[in-house]
Amino acid sequence: MKLNLRYQQKLRTRGTLIQAALELMGEEKSLGELSLREVAGEAGIVPAAFYRHFKNMEELGLALVDDMSIKLRTILREARKKGAYKTALQESIALFFGYVKENRLLFRFISRERTGGNKRIRVAIRNEMAFITSELASDMRLPKSVPFSDIEFVSEMIVFNAFHIAGEFLDSDPKDTLSEKKLKIKTVKQLRLIFVGILRGRSKGKRRSIVRG
């Protein structure tokens, strides 16, 4: 029982440190601008206790990336299980923006660090985006005539586009629901055009093969 309570307390403190870092970064600061002592103070613990949870600030940043990916992959996976790509696409985008909205500071961190100063964190973000891309490609329901390499390419474009638009979403007024709705509609249209492009491309390729044959 004591061991279980200690573990729960450790998880709570770890979560508090992560949230403290996000609060301190806010809308503008990068992880590199924060000090370990500053984060520990915001979390209400002594600096030495920080090392029970993370080796350094870089490891805390990597934990933030991991947290984003696990949650996001889960909600998008559930959305894709619910039907044809058009319905799943709309629901996936709605859930994606909902998650971004609920985790605003986390996605501010992701948006900044994708091109930030820490190489390990940049690579980690790219890797997690690749995992999301891979899962999307595996779940995507396109005609059997479309090669899997093309499906992977489409999936990569979708994920890249969604993360890019997340930055635009974060810059919009949270109270402006009309602009939010328009941005969601624009995103769905853009992603559908990606689907249409790949299907038309395959169709033209088939016609050329028939003519040459």
Side-chain angles (χ1 to χ4, degrees):
M1 179 66 76
K2 286 184 178 180
L3 183 62
N4 188 41
L5 289 173
R6 284 179 185 172
Y7 180 70
Q8 289 179 6
Q9 180 58 47
K10 185 175 182 178
L11 286 180
R12 281 195 293 270
T13 304
R14 186 178 186 277
T16 301
L17 283 166
I18 286 174
Q19 188 59 37
L22 288 174
E23 294 288 345
L24 287 168
M25 284 187 285
E27 296 285 333
E28 301 295 338
K29 280 188 176 181
S30 68
L31 185 69
E33 294 179 78
L34 301 186
S35 69
L36 183 154
R37 185 175 294 277
E38 192 178 6
V39 173
E42 181 72 14
I45 64 173
V46 295
F50 179 97
Y51 295 106
R52 297 174 193 163
H53 306 276
F54 303 104
K55 291 179 183 178
N56 48 40
M57 289 296 294
E58 180 184 71
E59 192 173 278
L60 187 151
L62 293 172
L64 281 167
V65 176
D66 190 52
D67 186 53
M68 175 278 298
S69 180
I70 290 171
K71 290 178 182 176
L72 189 55
R73 285 160 64 189
T74 299
I75 63 172
L76 295 180
R77 193 182 303 128
E78 288 303 310
R80 292 195 299 272
K81 287 179 181 177
K82 295 186 178 181
Y85 91 87
K86 287 185 179 180
T87 304
L89 183 59
Q90 287 177 329
E91 188 157 353
S92 294
I93 291 302
L95 287 170
F96 176 74
F97 280 113
Y99 179 69
V100 172
K101 194 172 187 176
E102 291 173 8
N103 297 271
R104 183 181 184 86
L105 294 180
L106 176 59
F107 261 84
R108 273 296 187 202
F109 163 79
I110 296 295
S111 294
R112 282 192 302 265
E113 300 300 325
R114 277 179 66 194
T115 56
N118 188 297
K119 182 178 178 180
R120 284 190 68 197
I121 292 175
R122 289 200 309 272
V123 170
I125 293 171
R126 285 200 297 269
N127 287 342
E128 296 304 332
M129 289 175 69
F131 284 139
I132 295 170
T133 297
S134 178
E135 288 191 351
L136 177 60
S138 297
D139 290 346
M140 199 175 290
R141 299 167 187 176
L142 291 179
K144 292 181 180 179
S145 60
V146 181
F148 189 69
S149 59
D150 285 359
I151 295 174
E152 286 182 313
F153 180 71
V154 168
S155 299
E156 186 176 359
M157 289 179 68
I158 289 171
V159 172
F160 180 84
N161 195 60
F163 272 78
H164 176 73
I165 291 180
E168 186 178 342
F169 178 77
L170 290 172
D171 286 336
S172 63
D173 185 350
K175 296 178 182 178
D176 189 350
T177 55
L178 181 60
S179 292
E180 182 179 317
K181 184 178 179 180
K182 287 181 179 178
L183 187 57
K184 287 178 183 177
I185 292 171
K186 182 178 83 170
T187 306
V188 171
K189 283 183 178 179
Q190 288 177 343
L191 300 187
R192 280 185 179 164
L193 283 173
I194 293 173
F195 279 106
V196 170
I198 191 67
L199 292 175
R200 283 181 179 173
R202 293 305 302 170
S203 179
K204 286 180 181 179
K206 278 186 174 181
R207 285 199 294 270
R208 282 195 295 267
S209 297
I210 292 170
V211 171
R212 287 172 185 169

